[in-house]
Amino acid sequence: MTARVYPVEPAFESPAEQSFVQALRDQLPDDAVLFCNLRFTDRSGDREPAGVVAWPGVGVAVIEVKGGSVSLREGQWWQTGGRSKAIHPVEQALKCKYALRDFLYRHPRWSRGNPRSNHFVALPTTVLPADFAAPDAPRWLVIDSTETSHAAGRISSALRRTEEEHDAPTQHDVELLVDCLAGTAIPQADLVADLAEREAACDLLTHAQAKVLDYLSGNPRVEIRGGAGSGKTWLAIEKARRLTADGQRVALMCYSRGLAEYLRRRALTLPARQRPVYAGTFHNLGTSWGVAPGSDDDSSYWEQQLPETMASLAEGLPAGERFDAIVIDEAQDFAESWWPAVLAALRRPDDGCLYVFSDEGQRVFARQGRPTVPLVPIELPENLRNTKQIAGTFSSLAPAQMRIRGGSGVPVRFLPCAAEDAVDVADDAADALLEEGWPPESLALLTTYSRHPVQVERQAAGQDAYWATYWDDDDLFYGHVLGFKGLERPAVVLAVNGFRSAERAREMLYVGLSRARDLLVVCGDLAVIRRVGGEAVARRLTVGTS
């Protein structure tokens, strides 16, 4: 268990400061937060403590760190490290403590009063004499090199004995401190502009992927594989557009309803002469041919009856109703039994154009299947659409190591709670984002096991009506990771409330963590997440990402 650190890549004044801060971080529990590089500025000047620890139930510690050999002679502190100079570590720490209090007092979002706090001086390369004593530095205030290995315990003990009327911060207080000190609360106008800028940057990177299609223009049968954030869906749409512009009759399809609706709407924005004749789910293509609809809970219908009927009907279709080319996104969702129908829908089943886009790491359904014809494999090695902090969180779950090219963003937020409480905690987190100014249409709340009650209510009106809410701009979207594959939101609150299948839990966590482009908030039990995703994911959530 280690504390979260803000910023995720602190700058240190000296190796001694770095070693002390890293040692302290590793000793703190995962509900504590360690701030570095904070600078408080007022008319009297700048104050910059080496570290500020916010510890739920304990207090706030403001720490000044001095490396080299430090001594106190005739009331004056001296530091020797190449040259000797007078220093004022206790005064600096004290002024930083009051600078923090003044900042919170003036901050419009802070309404908790003064939290219990104290200032400390750390001397990670100095051993204090046994009889050390100073009027402004009682022994409990100073941590020397012999105490670095248990510095958190020293700080905890001193804070718990602090004789002042202020209460220790709660977990909610600490999260509010993160908002105030990490600077995540910005005006909505600035936030919307920043989101638009990030989207434009992502789109530029994604459009650059078109060179992949240029290189493959002479290959009629290709499988393009890439992890989350690699721009596969954009490439699938672009390939369908190019083929249609060349005069071919093209079908653009996938398995999930949400992604299919996205493909359909995106295709409608293309010029008429570049618009594929079909964009939707594999199964809806069958019903358009006359296959009787089935119920959602009849797996034999979806896995066997419908695809077999589709393959039979396709053979009898006039050539003008078949396709010159088929483009499939999220192809890892296709069962083995579906591919004969896909090939039969081509005018030339043996060598007609077939482009499939897949990510084996997102194989979240129990069905297994691979294309039944040879395809030229192409790997997309870069993540383009997630911030470095988000991509770093799920990178260990991807099927292959990817270069992270997305810009730097805010730290991933982790809210520890029991799995059964994850949805309630996620609701509170989503409300907090709306209060911060995040537009509702930029936010999604996803679950990993049971659906959110709002999702259940909206799906009662039918799947088409439910998925129409994805494009509403008056409320956030409520969904499940199974249905959100291939989609994204600028901000995602992920409620890790369990998993339907232990065999697919890792893949479902991968999908959930990768759906956010700019901000990810994860709510759940760290032990469960560690068991499913491994130590790397758990550490990223609690320490931060680089």
Side-chain angles (χ1 to χ4, degrees), residues 233-289:
T233 295
W234 185 91
L235 283 175
I237 297 171
E238 175 64 9
K239 183 61 181 179
R241 184 196 69 79
R242 293 185 179 195
L243 291 169
T244 304
D246 288 342
Q248 300 193 50
R249 180 178 168 84
V250 179
L252 173 62
M253 66 178 72
C254 64
Y255 164 69
S256 68
R257 292 184 175 102
L259 179 57
E261 182 63 11
Y262 173 81
L263 297 178
R264 186 187 72 81
R265 291 183 180 232
R266 181 68 183 85
L268 289 175
T269 67
L270 300 174
R273 295 179 61 182
Q274 301 176 14
R275 195 179 300 159
V277 295
Y278 178 78
T281 65
F282 165 77
H283 298 96
N284 277 354
L285 179 63
T287 57
S288 73
W289 292 345

Side-chain angles (χ1 to χ4, degrees), residues 29 89 114 116 140 214 223 237 246 261 272 278 307 313 316 327 400-401 408 462 472 481 545:
N114 288 329
R116 179 192 300 163
W140 57 262
D214 296 338
E223 179 180 13
I237 297 171
D246 288 342
E261 182 63 11
Y278 178 78
L313 289 174
V327 180
Q401 189 67 36
S408 183
D472 287 349
V481 295
T545 56

Side-chain angles (χ1 to χ4, degrees), residues 223-237 252-260 262-263 280-283 327-335 338-339 355-365 367 369-371 481-488 507 510-511 514-515:
E223 179 180 13
I224 297 180
R225 306 166 183 165
S230 59
K232 298 186 302 300
T233 295
W234 185 91
L235 283 175
I237 297 171
L252 173 62
M253 66 178 72
C254 64
Y255 164 69
S256 68
R257 292 184 175 102
L259 179 57
Y262 173 81
L263 297 178
T281 65
F282 165 77
H283 298 96
V327 180
I328 299 175
D329 193 21
E330 299 289 343
Q332 75 279 352
D333 293 342
F334 277 41
W338 301 358
W339 289 102
Y355 266 64
V356 305
F357 297 78
S358 63
D359 178 3
E360 288 299 311
Q362 296 189 58
R363 192 180 285 275
V364 298
F365 300 103
R367 71 177 75 95
R370 291 281 307 152
V481 295
L482 286 177
F484 211 74
K485 288 187 331 83
L487 302 174
E488 68 175 32
E507 290 82 357
Y510 170 47
V511 173
S514 61
R515 296 307 93 197

Side-chain angles (χ1 to χ4, degrees), residues 11 25 68 88 119 175 199 206 210 222-223 231 242 254 301 331-332 364 406 437 480 538:
R25 177 201 64 190
H88 309 278
H119 58 290
E175 298 306 323
E199 183 173 11
T206 307
V222 175
E223 179 180 13
R242 293 185 179 195
C254 64
Y301 169 84
Q332 75 279 352
V364 298
H480 191 281

Side-chain angles (χ1 to χ4, degrees), residues 160-468:
R160 294 179 190 277
R161 295 179 182 178
T162 297
E163 294 182 359
E164 59 175 39
E165 68 279 12
H166 308 303
D167 294 330
T170 65
Q171 181 68 58
H172 181 75
D173 295 339
V174 170
E175 298 306 323
L176 186 55
L177 267 174
V178 172
D179 280 345
C180 294
L181 297 178
T184 57
I186 59 177
Q188 184 179 29
D190 293 343
L191 177 57
V192 172
D194 185 59
L195 291 178
E197 182 73 18
R198 270 278 303 141
E199 183 173 11
C202 286
D203 288 346
L204 284 175
L205 285 172
T206 307
H207 289 188
Q209 291 275 45
K211 64 180 182 293
V212 174
L213 300 180
D214 296 338
Y215 301 149
L216 296 169
S217 59
N219 292 282
R221 295 199 163 180
V222 175
E223 179 180 13
I224 297 180
R225 306 166 183 165
S230 59
K232 298 186 302 300
T233 295
W234 185 91
L235 283 175
I237 297 171
E238 175 64 9
K239 183 61 181 179
R241 184 196 69 79
R242 293 185 179 195
L243 291 169
T244 304
D246 288 342
Q248 300 193 50
R249 180 178 168 84
V250 179
L252 173 62
M253 66 178 72
C254 64
Y255 164 69
S256 68
R257 292 184 175 102
L259 179 57
E261 182 63 11
Y262 173 81
L263 297 178
R264 186 187 72 81
R265 291 183 180 232
R266 181 68 183 85
L268 289 175
T269 67
L270 300 174
R273 295 179 61 182
Q274 301 176 14
R275 195 179 300 159
V277 295
Y278 178 78
T281 65
F282 165 77
H283 298 96
N284 277 354
L285 179 63
T287 57
S288 73
W289 292 345
V291 180
S295 62
D296 284 357
D297 57 358
D298 185 357
S299 61
S300 64
Y301 169 84
W302 300 103
E303 305 296 335
Q304 296 297 329
Q305 180 182 339
L306 183 142
E308 289 175 0
T309 305
M310 284 179 66
S312 177
L313 289 174
E315 294 175 358
L317 288 175
E321 294 184 23
R322 296 191 192 184
F323 303 103
D324 299 302
I326 293 176
V327 180
I328 299 175
D329 193 21
E330 299 289 343
Q332 75 279 352
D333 293 342
F334 277 41
E336 192 84 21
S337 59
W338 301 358
W339 289 102
V342 170
L343 297 173
L346 289 167
R347 287 175 177 167
R348 297 166 55 183
D350 293 335
D351 58 1
C353 184
L354 177 63
Y355 266 64
V356 305
F357 297 78
S358 63
D359 178 3
E360 288 299 311
Q362 296 189 58
R363 192 180 285 275
V364 298
F365 300 103
R367 71 177 75 95
Q368 296 290 326
R370 291 281 307 152
T372 54
V373 294
L375 300 173
V376 175
I378 300 295
E379 300 288 340
L380 299 177
E382 298 176 332
N383 178 290
L384 309 174
R385 301 198 62 82
N386 306 101
T387 66
K388 292 179 179 179
Q389 287 80 1
I390 295 172
T393 301
F394 66 77
S395 60
S396 63
L397 301 177
Q401 189 67 36
M402 300 182 71
R403 292 193 298 272
I404 301 175
R405 294 189 59 198
S408 183
V410 298
V412 173
R413 304 182 191 179
F414 176 61
L415 304 179
C417 62
E420 57 267 26
D421 299 326
V423 171
D424 290 338
V425 174
D427 278 332
D428 291 340
D431 288 342
L433 291 181
L434 294 174
E435 291 177 4
E436 288 179 19
W438 286 82
E441 66 272 19
S442 71
L443 177 60
L445 192 160
L446 306 180
T447 59
T448 59
Y449 183 39
S450 57
R451 295 172 296 165
H452 192 283
V454 174
Q455 180 183 359
V456 174
E457 178 183 347
R458 291 178 178 178
Q459 286 185 316
Q463 291 292 347
D464 291 341
Y466 165 67
W467 280 107

